[in-house]
Amino acid sequence: MNHSSFPFCIAPVLSLFFAAPLFAQTGFPFQDESLRYSINWPSGLSLGEASFSAHHTAAGWSFDSTLSAGLPGFSISDKYQSSATADLCSLSLERTISHGGKKTQEKTTFDQQKGTAHRVTVFPKDGGESDLDIPTCARDAVAFIYFARREMGQGRVAPAQKIYLGSAYSVRMDYTGAMTVPVADKPTVTDHVLVYLKGPKADFNFEIFFARDAARTPLLIRVPLAMGTFSMELVR
């Protein structure tokens, strides 16, 4: 072998080696993403499904989330559509909620420059509308989930702030450290975070277990309720 040609032969191999971490960065915020979760009873039996998807847009990002679950004699079908800038400042949030026989559809439009958010209830038609004062780079609840993931990926916990889901809610996240939990029946080391949420119609906390990947994919979410602790587990 001509040793003078060796550097030229190995250069492509080295370039692939050093580029490998870039190719490994899949999922949000590196590329579009779709995640599906199983919603489970405390016993482990499936109650329904939830999905989350993120797509790049000209303005920044578009997020879609759906939840479908069934309790005896009571069904739940929720849909959320959020759009945000590249900095994950909300532009709009649409939500359609169907709980049993009650259905609500509304849209909130964020004017970040003016510091206001305008909410309109589309259904029922007599639902009215209202305006909210918002801080700089306000986020709706869906956009905040992705913002929190991006912060985790950069080694930070999202700061306490107001988020918007119809009304304004205070949210705080506390990182407790590494925790091993079963995911798809396999012990998995995760980053454990406690989330505290308080608003006009909510005052509770829940747990999120993030994967230790670049995207900080939520693997498991546990929500304690009066009936027991319900969970959302990522379906691979």
Side-chain angles (χ1 to χ4, degrees):
M1 177 179 180
N2 184 346
H3 291 283
S4 64
S5 65
F6 177 75
F8 300 98
C9 294
I10 197 149
V13 178
L14 290 176
S15 66
L16 289 174
F17 176 80
F18 288 112
L22 297 178
F23 290 113
Q25 292 179 331
T26 59
F28 176 86
F30 311 106
Q31 39 180 246
D32 291 356
E33 172 190 83
S34 292
L35 303 175
R36 186 167 61 91
Y37 293 81
S38 173
I39 305 172
N40 302 320
W41 288 89
S43 64
L45 294 176
S46 178
L47 175 64
E49 289 188 347
S51 66
F52 295 85
S53 63
H55 301 281
H56 280 99
T57 66
W61 286 93
S62 174
F63 306 117
D64 292 275
S65 175
T66 63
L67 185 151
S68 179
L71 295 166
F74 190 86
S75 62
I76 298 173
S77 179
D78 294 350
K79 183 177 181 179
Y80 303 87
Q81 294 177 298
S82 167
S83 63
T85 66
D87 290 330
L88 303 181
C89 307
S90 289
L91 297 172
S92 67
L93 172 68
E94 296 182 55
R95 63 172 183 162
T96 303
I97 300 172
S98 179
H99 294 176
K102 184 179 180 180
K103 182 177 179 179
T104 302
Q105 183 179 2
E106 66 178 34
K107 180 176 181 178
T108 302
T109 303
F110 296 81
D111 190 326
Q112 299 287 352
Q113 291 186 338
K114 292 183 178 180
T116 61
H118 184 67
R119 181 180 68 173
V120 176
T121 300
V122 179
F123 184 87
K125 292 184 178 180
D126 59 351
E129 53 190 281
S130 60
D131 291 297
L132 294 168
D133 292 328
I134 59 174
T136 302
C137 194
R139 298 180 178 90
D140 64 77
V142 179
F144 175 78
I145 294 172
Y146 290 91
F147 169 71
R149 287 177 56 187
R150 192 183 69 179
E151 291 295 285
M152 289 284 292
Q154 296 176 359
R156 301 187 295 261
V157 176
Q161 59 192 270
K162 294 283 188 181
I163 60 174
Y164 299 86
L165 188 65
S167 302
Y169 293 82
S170 297
V171 63
R172 187 182 93 242
M173 302 180 71
D174 290 346
Y175 174 66
T176 69
M179 186 174 292
T180 301
V181 295
V183 177
D185 297 324
K186 295 181 179 179
T188 304
V189 179
T190 66
D191 285 318
H192 178 239
V193 173
L194 286 173
V195 183
Y196 299 87
L197 190 68
K198 186 174 184 179
K201 299 181 180 180
D203 188 358
F204 67 99
N205 62 79
F206 56 95
E207 302 172 278
I208 305 180
F209 300 84
F210 292 95
R212 290 189 153 186
D213 56 4
R216 285 300 190 267
T217 308
L219 297 177
L220 178 66
I221 301 170
R222 288 177 178 166
V223 182
L225 300 174
M227 300 171 60
T229 299
F230 288 75
S231 64
M232 288 174 52
E233 184 175 339
L234 181 65
V235 179
R236 293 293 191 181

